[in-house]
Amino acid sequence: MSDTDSPKTTFNRVMLKISGEALMGDQGYGLHPPTVERIAREVKSVHDMGVEICMVIGGGNVFRGLAGSAQGMERTTADYMGMLATVMNALAMQSALEKLGVFTRVISAIRMDEVAEPYIRRRAVRHLEKKRVCIFAAGTGNPYFTTDTAATLRANEMACEAIFKGTKVDGVYDKDPMKFDDARRFDSVTYDAVLAQHLNVMDASAIALARDNNLPIIVFSLDEPGGFKGILAGEGTYTKVHG
């Protein structure tokens, strides 16, 4: 497909946030390589539109800090283990993207120079300008912060125009649509409504950080083939969280 045939988008630089569980496929744990490859193809299709892409991937498919601390592990240690899980996922996604010919950098908030670059904001911006996908790993580098907050922080630092939150459902609902047939989907919703109604979009600190910097969050289904590209082209079903 030539550039003239590609769908047009108003976005120049975006953050894609996905959970670690999204990489599991139908498995109960770990990585499912065909699922990782499918998501990588979605990312490539958007990259081919000329969009600069940042990514943050959770670690819940390998280890979740909150779950570890609930079982008696010290919270700080559990959170660091969760950060290491996100690095594993980032490396898997890097491998899948580079197999498709998309140059990718894994940038870690915790130094591990043999496998990832340290986070240096100006260097990361330069990678994006060179059309490399930047996968930000190890959260913020601090315990007690989720990868949702890390995604919002990095999106602001990288001057992204929106956060695309890929989930299992096609937007934000007033209750869990997997459990309730009468769940109602919002086309758009404000940051304050998300916080007041405890809507399950991102954790409160991530929503507050997005609100304070007027950064829109677009919630869509990652299970919908072509969904990421379609929404960037102005199609598809999603919920926009905004001011």
Side-chain angles (χ1 to χ4, degrees):
M1 181 184 284
S2 70
D3 289 342
T4 54
D5 296 328
S6 295
K8 295 293 182 282
T9 178
T10 56
F11 293 98
N12 295 309
R13 182 179 295 170
V14 300
M15 166 65 73
L16 174 63
K17 167 63 171 71
I18 60 175
S19 66
E21 287 89 344
L23 306 184
M24 291 193 309
D26 295 329
Q27 301 174 160
Y29 178 83
L31 290 158
H32 183 238
T35 300
V36 178
E37 288 164 18
R38 177 181 66 78
I39 295 171
R41 285 194 296 273
E42 294 268 339
V43 173
K44 181 182 187 299
S45 70
V46 171
H47 185 265
D48 289 346
M49 295 166 72
V51 179
E52 297 170 3
I53 301 171
C54 305
M55 290 184 72
V56 168
I57 307 171
N61 57 320
V62 179
F63 187 86
R64 186 177 289 281
L66 267 175
S69 64
Q71 294 173 24
M73 187 179 291
E74 186 207 4
R75 173 67 188 269
T76 303
T77 300
D79 278 357
Y80 278 121
M81 291 173 67
M83 290 180 218
L84 297 178
T86 71
V87 177
M88 294 169 66
N89 287 340
L91 292 172
M93 183 57 66
Q94 179 185 42
S95 176
L97 282 167
E98 295 206 325
K99 195 183 291 183
L100 296 172
V102 179
F103 292 111
T104 309
R105 294 291 185 273
V106 173
I107 301 170
S108 173
I110 298 174
R111 290 196 74 106
M112 45 184 80
D113 296 349
E114 286 76 14
V115 297
E117 287 186 11
Y119 176 68
I120 300 169
R121 189 184 71 83
R122 287 176 178 270
R123 183 189 289 181
V125 169
R126 189 71 182 117
H127 287 319
L128 291 169
E129 290 170 350
K130 291 182 176 179
K131 304 302 179 186
R132 296 165 182 158
V133 172
C134 288
I135 307 176
F136 297 101
T140 65
N142 301 290
Y144 295 94
F145 289 93
T146 66
T147 50
D148 281 345
T149 304
T152 312
L153 174 66
R154 297 291 185 240
N156 281 308
E157 290 179 303
M158 294 297 108
C160 291
E161 293 155 351
I163 298 174
F164 282 74
K165 174 80 186 282
T167 68
K168 291 190 175 297
V169 292
D170 59 356
V172 180
Y173 287 77
D174 58 353
K175 49 191 166 184
D176 189 343
M178 302 290 193
K179 297 177 183 174
F180 300 96
D181 291 337
D182 62 342
R184 185 170 61 88
R185 188 181 64 79
F186 299 100
D187 285 329
S188 67
V189 63
T190 65
Y191 305 112
D192 289 338
V194 168
L195 292 171
Q197 298 177 43
H198 302 286
L199 300 175
N200 190 21
V201 180
M202 289 177 154
D203 64 78
S205 58
I207 295 294
L209 184 58
R211 180 190 61 192
D212 293 348
N213 294 278
N214 200 28
L215 180 67
I217 302 166
I218 295 170
V219 183
F220 71 104
S221 172
L222 199 63
D223 292 339
E224 186 71 34
F228 185 28
K229 179 180 179 181
I231 290 164
L232 275 155
E235 304 161 359
T237 306
Y238 58 91
T239 298
K240 183 177 182 179
V241 183
H242 58 94

